[in-house]
Amino acid sequence: MQALSINPSSSLKRSGMAGSARRSPWLRAAASGRRTSVAVSAAMRNSRTAELRKLLSGNEILLGPCCHDGLSARLIEQAGFPFAFMSGFCTAGARLGAPDTGLISYAEMVDVARNAVEATRGLPIIGDGDTGYGNAMNVKRTVRGYAQAGLAGILIEDQVAPKSCGHVRGKRVVGRGEAVERIRAAADARDEGADILIVARSDARQAVSLEEALWRAQAFAEAGADVLFIDALESEEEMRALAQLGGAAAGVAKMANMLEGGGKTPLLPPSALQALGFKLVAYPLSLLGVSVRAMQEALVGLKRGRVPPREALGSFADIQAAVGFPEYYSEEQRYAAGPESGAAAGAAGAWGAGAAGARGSWSSAGPAAWPGAGPSSASWGGSGSVGGGGERSPPQRPPPPPPPPQTPVVEPEAVYEGSTPRSTAAAGDNTSSSSSSTYSPYSSSSTTASSSSSSSSSRRNRNLRVRITDGTTGLVKLETRVPAGFLNGLTALVPQVAGFNIEALLDQALGPGGVLPPPDQPLLNLATGSDKIQIFLE
């Protein structure tokens, strides 16, 4: 995600940092041509920040739903949005169950930011930095912390502490000087190495006036902001006034906040916002709002003994896919242990084995005999000669260390009750009335303990490919692989097969006299509800 960039002071223009010289005292001194000592600045470059800069330089308007945790950020990326905004309102509500009134701390916000970044592959995320959590020095620390967490942008606002939510009562802002210094401190932190974009927000429209908010936006642009945002504008005319600011603000991107459910700002379609001159659009309540409503409705039903309907809940496989089980098992497969190769035993005796007994070679006593380990640790020469002097017997070689203990491979306990599988009803599956299954054994011989034992080693080299298909549309909803020796992982991924004796099928196919199924013929073919579940042996 990040790469180290080192730029000497003598190459400011070449490194693209000359434009930032007006914001940083060190850079101003270097750019002025004054004789300075050789200096090197190191900055961690964030690929997500680079992507956000690239998007801002394009012609398309950028739509960004607000996230509040790793899952919501992951879903935004899966849906194909170009960026996300980590809302303080949503994060305080989801993490604390509390209003966005300054109750959530810097450390809690950074923690959520790390989770959101880790849950996504490359989605640029702008984090709500509120007031910067203190004075100008706190602002700089907040900017650096958000950048280190992997965020592509940070919003800093001009409210007093404790702050208030944008579209509710009680709005108060700090004076002009302090407001501008916050943005200047944030820009300095960026120019000193924190690779993150600065979104400058003013709440002066509701606290003072539109004219004051516009003055502050212009001053924020001059202080080095990358994006300008005035919250709670009340009409298209006011929005146009922000988007069409001149001077230093003319070339700075503008962000609009479309508060779903009713706020002070008119809800406009993306095309109208782009026509006004806005570059970014944040949708703060869509995900949190529908989540709250869905949870409330589900709880009402559960209290009456009714589980959510399938169309509202989805299948368990759908939920597992949303949180990343298929990717997890695919990645896990890369590191599945194969058959024992004896490499550990071979490595244990490899110390100096290639030159054992040769004159002038180091002894094979192990790492202690390496140069610099001490005079008592090694003997030079097979005959024990030292320098040009007399003969001296080599020290007693310590016995080789015992080989590391081998971790036993524990096979899952078989769930086998005779020659037929347990019914799904016995396993507690309430879909048994609408389920059917077809076993595909490839050997007529019965499963025995000996065949199970003999197939366990072969099983470790094979995988079970799981495919879940929508029985109505034929679309593949999930396709992944699970090591055949890890049946617990299979039942965790697809609980519908927990009552079927996959162990017995594997023993029949891999045991003595077993016949492997064709690659396109499923080991298990199961219809449950509207899903078709197939398991293939690979």
Side-chain angles (χ1 to χ4, degrees):
M1 180 184 70
Q2 295 179 328
L4 184 64
S5 174
I6 302 179
N7 298 316
S9 60
S10 60
S11 60
L12 284 172
K13 184 175 182 180
R14 190 167 59 250
S15 65
M17 297 179 67
S20 302
R22 60 186 174 86
R23 306 186 190 113
S24 169
W26 182 85
L27 292 174
R28 282 198 298 269
S32 66
R34 296 200 304 268
R35 187 178 182 86
T36 59
S37 59
V38 177
V40 175
S41 64
M44 295 304 294
R45 296 304 176 197
N46 185 347
S47 61
R48 299 177 191 237
T49 307
E51 176 65 16
L52 184 56
R53 286 194 181 98
K54 178 181 176 182
L55 292 170
L56 288 173
S57 66
N59 297 323
E60 299 298 323
I61 191 168
L62 309 176
L63 310 182
C66 286
C67 62
H68 51 268
D69 57 11
L71 178 59
S72 56
R74 175 184 172 86
L75 295 176
I76 291 171
E77 184 176 51
Q78 288 179 343
F81 285 91
F83 85 102
F85 189 96
M86 193 186 83
S87 159
F89 181 100
C90 298
T91 304
R95 176 159 179 152
L96 304 182
D100 183 25
T101 54
L103 296 176
I104 195 165
S105 69
Y106 159 79
E108 290 168 315
M109 290 292 288
V110 168
D111 185 55
V112 173
R114 291 194 187 97
N115 291 339
V117 169
E118 184 178 350
T120 53
R121 294 181 179 272
L123 178 71
I125 303 174
I126 300 173
D128 191 347
D130 289 337
T131 63
Y133 305 99
N135 62 13
M137 298 308 298
N138 292 99
V139 171
K140 295 185 74 172
R141 178 175 184 261
T142 299
V143 171
R144 289 193 295 264
Y146 276 40
Q148 291 166 1
L151 293 179
I154 179 172
L155 179 146
I156 298 293
E157 62 190 48
D158 60 357
Q159 288 198 57
V160 300
K163 59 157 287 178
S164 174
C165 177
H167 291 249
V168 301
R169 63 185 183 182
K171 300 290 284 292
R172 293 183 300 137
V173 293
V174 297
R176 285 183 172 183
E178 183 176 352
V180 174
E181 286 307 308
R182 286 180 184 176
I183 303 304
R184 182 171 289 117
D188 283 346
R190 174 201 60 204
D191 297 339
E192 291 163 5
D195 190 23
I196 193 168
L197 299 184
I198 308 301
V199 181
R201 161 178 163 170
S202 177
D203 286 81
R205 169 62 187 93
Q206 298 300 318
V208 185
S209 66
L210 174 64
E211 290 72 21
E212 177 67 15
L214 293 173
W215 185 95
R216 292 185 180 218
Q218 186 70 253
F220 293 164
E222 295 173 358
D226 298 292
V227 179
L228 299 176
F229 171 42
I230 297 177
D231 199 23
L233 294 171
E234 295 187 359
S235 67
E236 290 189 39
E237 290 72 22
E238 293 186 0
M239 298 171 72
R240 185 177 292 107
L242 168 62
Q244 296 181 357
L245 281 175
V252 179
K254 315 300 189 303
M255 187 174 81
N257 183 30
M258 296 288 96
L259 187 65
E260 312 92 317
K264 296 182 180 296
T265 304
L267 277 173
L268 301 177
S271 58
L273 291 169
Q274 187 170 19
L276 285 173
F278 287 92
K279 188 62 182 179
L280 297 96
V281 186
Y283 294 93
L285 298 182
S286 291
L287 298 191
L288 182 65
V290 298
S291 300
V292 170
R293 176 57 62 88
M295 287 190 284
Q296 289 173 335
E297 292 178 353
L299 291 170
V300 169
L302 290 173
K303 195 171 183 180
R304 296 173 180 172
R306 184 179 69 250
V307 299
R310 184 181 181 88
E311 58 269 17
L313 179 65
S315 68
F316 187 40
D318 296 332
I319 299 173
Q320 290 180 92
V323 301
F325 270 94
E327 293 90 342
Y328 175 87
Y329 284 124
S330 177
E331 182 78 3
E332 182 187 51
Q333 182 186 352
R334 293 179 55 197
Y335 308 104
E340 297 298 335
S341 62
W351 291 106
R359 185 176 181 86
S361 64
W362 288 97
S363 81
S364 58
W370 289 3
S376 63
S377 302
S379 61
W380 179 253
S383 63
S385 61
V386 178
E391 297 294 322
R392 188 175 69 184
S393 299
Q396 185 67 31
R397 180 181 301 174
Q406 298 295 323
T407 303
V409 178
V410 180
E411 293 293 337
E413 182 179 356
V415 182
Y416 186 60
E417 299 177 357
S419 58
T420 58
R422 294 189 305 173
S423 68
T424 53
D429 188 346
N430 58 11
T431 65
S432 60
S433 61
S434 62
S435 301
S436 63
S437 64
T438 303
Y439 269 91
S440 303
Y442 303 100
S443 172
S444 59
S445 60
S446 61
T447 303
T448 63
S450 60
S451 65
S452 175
S453 174
S454 63
S455 67
S456 61
S457 59
S458 299
R459 193 180 307 171
R460 286 195 295 272
N461 296 326
R462 296 189 175 274
N463 296 300
L464 294 175
R465 178 162 57 91
V466 181
R467 178 191 296 163
I468 300 179
T469 308
D470 189 300
T472 304
T473 64
L475 295 177
V476 177
K477 300 169 65 175
L478 173 68
E479 185 159 3
T480 187
R481 289 171 174 81
V482 178
F486 186 50
L487 294 186
N488 288 338
L490 174 63
T491 55
L493 179 65
V494 189
Q496 295 95 322
V497 305
F500 294 90
N501 201 337
I502 309 298
E503 182 91 10
L505 291 176
L506 289 172
D507 288 342
Q508 290 179 10
L510 298 174
V515 179
L516 292 177
D520 59 345
Q521 186 170 350
L523 191 69
L524 177 66
N525 201 3
L526 171 66
T528 172
S530 62
D531 290 336
K532 179 180 179 181
I533 302 173
Q534 294 175 304
I535 299 177
F536 302 86
L537 180 62
E538 295 184 338

Coordinates of all heavy atoms in Angstrom, one line a residue, residues 347-401:
A347 N 17.2 -31.1 7.2 CA 17.8 -29.9 7.6 C 18.5 -30.0 8.9 O 19.5 -29.3 9.2 CB 16.7 -28.8 7.7
A348 N 18.1 -30.9 9.8 CA 18.7 -31.0 11.1 C 20.1 -31.6 11.0 O 21.0 -31.2 11.8 CB 17.8 -32.0 12.0
G349 N 20.4 -32.4 10.0 CA 21.7 -32.9 9.8 C 22.5 -32.2 8.8 O 23.6 -32.8 8.4
A350 N 22.1 -31.1 8.3 CA 22.8 -30.4 7.2 C 23.8 -29.5 7.6 O 24.5 -28.9 6.8 CB 21.7 -29.7 6.3
W351 N 24.0 -29.3 8.9 CA 25.0 -28.3 9.4 C 26.4 -28.8 9.0 O 26.9 -29.8 9.5 CB 24.9 -28.1 10.9 CG 23.7 -27.4 11.3 CD1 22.6 -28.0 12.0 CD2 23.4 -26.1 11.2 NE1 21.7 -27.1 12.2 CE2 22.1 -25.9 11.7 CE3 24.1 -25.0 10.6 CZ2 21.5 -24.6 11.8 CZ3 23.5 -23.7 10.7 CH2 22.2 -23.5 11.2
G352 N 27.0 -28.2 8.0 CA 28.4 -28.5 7.7 C 28.6 -29.9 7.1 O 29.7 -30.4 7.0
A353 N 27.5 -30.5 6.7 CA 27.6 -31.9 6.2 C 28.4 -32.0 4.9 O 29.1 -33.0 4.6 CB 26.2 -32.5 6.0
G354 N 28.3 -30.9 4.1 CA 29.0 -31.0 2.8 C 30.5 -31.0 2.9 O 31.2 -31.4 2.0
A355 N 31.1 -30.6 4.0 CA 32.6 -30.5 4.1 C 33.0 -31.2 5.4 O 34.1 -30.9 5.9 CB 33.0 -29.1 4.1
A356 N 32.3 -32.1 5.9 CA 32.6 -32.8 7.2 C 34.0 -33.5 7.0 O 34.1 -34.3 6.1 CB 31.5 -33.8 7.6
G357 N 34.9 -33.3 7.9 CA 36.2 -34.0 7.9 C 37.2 -33.4 7.0 O 38.3 -33.8 6.9
A358 N 36.8 -32.4 6.1 CA 37.8 -31.8 5.2 C 38.7 -30.9 6.0 O 38.3 -30.1 6.8 CB 37.1 -31.1 4.1
R359 N 40.0 -30.9 5.6 CA 41.0 -30.0 6.3 C 40.7 -28.6 6.0 O 40.5 -28.2 4.8 CB 42.4 -30.4 5.9 CG 43.5 -29.6 6.7 CD 44.9 -30.1 6.3 NE 45.9 -29.4 7.0 CZ 46.3 -29.7 8.2 NH1 45.8 -30.8 8.8 NH2 47.3 -29.0 8.9
G360 N 40.7 -27.7 7.0 CA 40.4 -26.3 6.8 C 39.0 -25.9 6.7 O 38.6 -24.8 6.4
S361 N 38.1 -26.9 7.1 CA 36.6 -26.5 7.1 C 36.2 -26.3 8.5 O 36.8 -26.9 9.5 CB 35.8 -27.7 6.4 OG 36.0 -28.8 7.2
W362 N 35.1 -25.6 8.6 CA 34.5 -25.4 9.9 C 33.8 -26.7 10.3 O 33.3 -27.4 9.5 CB 33.5 -24.3 9.9 CG 34.1 -22.9 9.8 CD1 34.3 -22.2 8.7 CD2 34.7 -22.2 10.9 NE1 34.9 -21.0 9.0 CE2 35.2 -21.0 10.3 CE3 34.8 -22.4 12.3 CZ2 35.8 -20.0 11.1 CZ3 35.4 -21.4 13.0 CH2 35.9 -20.3 12.5
S363 N 33.8 -27.0 11.6 CA 33.2 -28.2 12.1 C 31.7 -28.2 11.9 O 31.1 -27.1 11.7 CB 33.5 -28.4 13.6 OG 32.6 -27.7 14.4
S364 N 31.1 -29.3 11.9 CA 29.6 -29.4 11.7 C 28.9 -29.4 13.1 O 27.8 -30.0 13.2 CB 29.3 -30.7 11.0 OG 29.8 -31.8 11.8
A365 N 29.4 -28.7 14.0 CA 28.7 -28.6 15.3 C 27.5 -27.8 15.3 O 26.8 -27.7 16.3 CB 29.7 -28.1 16.4
G366 N 27.2 -27.0 14.3 CA 26.0 -26.2 14.3 C 26.4 -24.7 14.3 O 27.5 -24.3 14.1
P367 N 25.4 -23.8 14.5 CA 25.6 -22.4 14.4 C 26.6 -21.9 15.4 O 27.3 -20.9 15.2 CB 24.2 -21.8 14.7 CG 23.3 -22.9 14.4 CD 24.0 -24.2 14.7
A368 N 26.8 -22.6 16.5 CA 27.8 -22.2 17.5 C 29.2 -22.2 17.0 O 30.1 -21.6 17.5 CB 27.7 -23.0 18.8
A369 N 29.4 -23.0 15.9 CA 30.8 -23.1 15.3 C 31.1 -22.1 14.2 O 32.1 -22.1 13.6 CB 30.9 -24.5 14.7
W370 N 30.2 -21.1 14.0 CA 30.4 -20.1 13.0 C 31.4 -19.1 13.5 O 31.6 -18.9 14.7 CB 29.1 -19.4 12.7 CG 28.1 -20.2 11.9 CD1 28.3 -21.5 11.6 CD2 26.8 -19.8 11.5 NE1 27.2 -22.0 10.9 CE2 26.3 -20.9 10.8 CE3 26.1 -18.6 11.5 CZ2 25.0 -20.9 10.2 CZ3 24.9 -18.6 10.9 CH2 24.4 -19.7 10.3
P371 N 32.1 -18.4 12.5 CA 33.1 -17.4 12.9 C 32.5 -16.4 13.9 O 31.4 -15.9 13.6 CB 33.5 -16.8 11.6 CG 33.2 -17.8 10.6 CD 32.0 -18.5 11.1
G372 N 33.2 -16.0 14.9 CA 32.8 -15.0 15.8 C 32.0 -15.6 17.0 O 31.5 -14.8 17.8
A373 N 31.7 -16.9 17.0 CA 30.9 -17.4 18.1 C 31.8 -17.7 19.3 O 31.2 -18.1 20.3 CB 30.3 -18.7 17.6
G374 N 33.1 -17.5 19.2 CA 33.9 -17.8 20.4 C 34.9 -18.8 20.1 O 34.7 -19.8 19.4
P375 N 36.1 -18.8 20.7 CA 37.2 -19.7 20.4 C 36.9 -21.1 20.9 O 37.4 -22.1 20.3 CB 38.4 -19.1 21.2 CG 37.8 -18.3 22.2 CD 36.5 -17.7 21.7
S376 N 36.0 -21.3 21.8 CA 35.8 -22.6 22.3 C 34.7 -23.4 21.5 O 34.4 -24.5 21.8 CB 35.4 -22.6 23.8 OG 34.2 -21.9 23.9
S377 N 34.1 -22.7 20.5 CA 33.0 -23.3 19.9 C 33.4 -24.1 18.6 O 32.6 -24.8 18.1 CB 32.0 -22.1 19.4 OG 31.6 -21.4 20.6
A378 N 34.6 -23.9 18.1 CA 34.9 -24.6 16.8 C 36.4 -25.0 16.8 O 37.2 -24.5 17.5 CB 34.6 -23.6 15.7
S379 N 36.7 -25.9 16.0 CA 38.1 -26.3 15.7 C 38.4 -26.1 14.3 O 37.5 -26.4 13.4 CB 38.3 -27.8 16.1 OG 37.4 -28.6 15.3
W380 N 39.5 -25.6 14.0 CA 39.9 -25.3 12.6 C 40.8 -26.4 12.1 O 41.8 -26.6 12.6 CB 40.6 -23.9 12.5 CG 41.0 -23.6 11.1 CD1 42.3 -23.6 10.6 CD2 40.2 -23.2 10.0 NE1 42.3 -23.2 9.3 CE2 41.0 -23.0 8.9 CE3 38.8 -23.0 9.9 CZ2 40.5 -22.6 7.7 CZ3 38.3 -22.6 8.7 CH2 39.2 -22.4 7.6
G381 N 40.3 -27.1 11.0 CA 41.1 -28.2 10.4 C 40.7 -29.5 11.0 O 40.5 -29.7 12.2
G382 N 40.7 -30.5 10.1 CA 40.3 -31.8 10.5 C 41.2 -32.5 11.5 O 40.8 -33.3 12.3
S383 N 42.5 -32.1 11.5 CA 43.5 -32.7 12.4 C 43.7 -32.0 13.7 O 44.4 -32.4 14.6 CB 44.9 -32.8 11.7 OG 45.3 -31.5 11.4
G384 N 42.9 -30.9 13.8 CA 43.0 -30.1 15.1 C 44.2 -29.2 15.2 O 44.5 -28.8 16.3
S385 N 44.9 -28.9 14.1 CA 46.1 -28.0 14.2 C 45.6 -26.6 14.4 O 44.6 -26.2 13.9 CB 46.9 -28.1 12.9 OG 46.1 -27.7 11.8
V386 N 46.4 -25.8 15.1 CA 46.1 -24.4 15.4 C 47.3 -23.6 14.9 O 48.4 -23.8 15.5 CB 45.8 -24.2 16.9 CG1 45.6 -22.7 17.2 CG2 44.7 -25.1 17.4
G387 N 47.1 -22.7 14.0 CA 48.2 -21.9 13.4 C 49.3 -22.8 13.0 O 49.1 -23.7 12.3
G388 N 50.6 -22.5 13.3 CA 51.7 -23.3 13.0 C 52.2 -24.0 14.1 O 53.3 -24.6 14.1
G389 N 51.5 -24.0 15.3 CA 52.0 -24.6 16.5 C 51.7 -26.1 16.6 O 51.5 -26.8 15.6
G390 N 51.8 -26.6 17.8 CA 51.6 -28.0 18.0 C 50.2 -28.5 17.8 O 49.3 -27.8 17.5
E391 N 50.1 -29.8 18.0 CA 48.8 -30.4 17.8 C 47.9 -30.3 19.1 O 48.4 -30.3 20.2 CB 49.0 -31.9 17.5 CG 49.7 -32.2 16.3 CD 49.0 -31.8 15.0 OE1 47.7 -32.0 15.0 OE2 49.6 -31.3 14.1
R392 N 46.6 -30.1 18.8 CA 45.7 -30.0 20.0 C 44.4 -30.7 19.6 O 43.9 -30.5 18.5 CB 45.4 -28.5 20.3 CG 44.6 -28.4 21.6 CD 44.4 -26.9 21.9 NE 43.5 -26.3 20.9 CZ 43.2 -24.9 21.0 NH1 43.8 -24.2 21.9 NH2 42.4 -24.4 20.1
S393 N 43.9 -31.5 20.5 CA 42.7 -32.3 20.2 C 41.5 -31.3 20.1 O 41.4 -30.4 20.9 CB 42.5 -33.3 21.3 OG 43.5 -34.2 21.4
P394 N 40.7 -31.6 19.2 CA 39.5 -30.7 19.1 C 38.6 -30.9 20.3 O 38.6 -31.9 20.9 CB 38.8 -31.2 17.8 CG 39.2 -32.6 17.7 CD 40.6 -32.7 18.2
P395 N 37.8 -29.9 20.6 CA 36.9 -30.0 21.7 C 35.8 -31.0 21.4 O 35.5 -31.4 20.3 CB 36.3 -28.6 21.8 CG 36.4 -28.0 20.5 CD 37.7 -28.6 19.9
Q396 N 35.2 -31.6 22.5 CA 34.2 -32.6 22.3 C 33.0 -32.0 21.6 O 32.5 -31.0 22.0 CB 33.8 -33.1 23.7 CG 32.8 -34.2 23.7 CD 33.4 -35.5 23.1 OE1 34.6 -35.7 23.3 NE2 32.6 -36.3 22.4
R397 N 32.6 -32.6 20.5 CA 31.5 -32.1 19.8 C 30.2 -32.5 20.5 O 30.0 -33.6 20.9 CB 31.4 -32.8 18.4 CG 30.3 -32.4 17.5 CD 30.3 -33.1 16.2 NE 31.5 -32.8 15.5 CZ 31.8 -33.4 14.3 NH1 31.0 -34.3 13.8 NH2 32.9 -33.1 13.7
P398 N 29.3 -31.4 20.7 CA 28.1 -31.7 21.4 C 27.2 -32.6 20.6 O 27.3 -32.6 19.3 CB 27.4 -30.3 21.6 CG 28.0 -29.5 20.5 CD 29.4 -30.0 20.3
P399 N 26.3 -33.4 21.2 CA 25.4 -34.3 20.4 C 24.5 -33.4 19.6 O 24.1 -32.3 20.0 CB 24.7 -35.1 21.5 CG 24.8 -34.2 22.7 CD 26.1 -33.5 22.6
P400 N 24.1 -33.9 18.5 CA 23.1 -33.1 17.6 C 21.8 -33.0 18.4 O 21.4 -33.8 19.1 CB 22.9 -34.0 16.4 CG 23.3 -35.3 16.8 CD 24.4 -35.2 17.8
P401 N 21.1 -31.8 18.1 CA 19.8 -31.6 18.8 C 18.8 -32.7 18.3 O 18.9 -33.1 17.2 CB 19.4 -30.2 18.4 CG 20.1 -30.0 17.1 CD 21.4 -30.7 17.2

